[in-house]
Amino acid sequence: MNNQKGQGFGFGLGKMKELAAAFQKAQQIQEDAKNLQAELEAMEIEAQSADGFVIVKVSGDQKPLSIDIKPEALVGKSAEELSAFVTAVVKDAHQKSTDIMRERMESLTGNLGLPGM
């Protein structure tokens, strides 16, 4: 029979405090992630052609919001040229959204000390 007292499962008071602190930090990170998601959804990121005739808006979580093509964009262009023009602006808007999302995620995870983040 083992006569040692107070050893339980190997969790002393110090370990319980560490566990509680880790749990609290995890809850805060979850709340921050939820807030970030809402912020990204509400964002409106815009890209436009150099002449301003094509304007694309996407949300911060990369959902397409609108494409505005001004009548001037149609002048002197074939359907293929206009399609390429619009595609380039959509790609630009998507890249801007991706960059913003990455920056915000890095700021959220930067304090965690996770490898590769």
Side-chain angles (χ1 to χ4, degrees):
M1 186 163 187
N2 191 348
N3 287 335
Q4 295 176 332
K5 289 188 168 193
Q7 293 207 349
F9 294 105
F11 276 59
L13 185 57
K15 291 290 183 188
M16 291 301 288
K17 285 182 181 179
E18 287 177 27
L19 184 60
F23 183 70
Q24 186 176 23
K25 186 172 185 177
Q27 284 180 317
Q28 183 62 50
I29 292 166
Q30 184 177 16
E31 185 66 29
D32 290 347
K34 199 162 56 169
N35 291 338
L36 175 59
Q37 181 64 33
E39 179 184 341
L40 290 171
E41 288 173 2
M43 275 184 187
E44 208 172 270
I45 299 162
E46 183 178 292
Q48 62 179 304
S49 59
D51 59 13
F53 294 159
V54 177
I55 301 168
V56 174
K57 293 180 183 176
V58 296
S59 66
D61 62 348
Q62 303 172 338
K63 291 187 177 114
L65 299 174
S66 68
I67 298 176
D68 181 25
I69 301 172
K70 297 188 189 278
E72 297 88 349
L74 305 174
V75 176
K77 290 184 186 70
S78 68
E80 292 81 20
E81 290 171 324
L82 182 59
S83 178
F85 202 57
V86 171
T87 300
V89 179
V90 168
K91 286 180 178 179
D92 186 32
H94 181 265
Q95 187 60 53
K96 287 179 179 181
S97 176
T98 299
D99 292 346
I100 288 171
M101 182 186 285
R102 184 178 298 119
E103 288 170 13
R104 301 292 170 93
M105 289 299 292
E106 286 174 359
S107 69
L108 177 67
T109 60
N111 295 329
L112 300 179
L114 298 175
M117 297 302 259

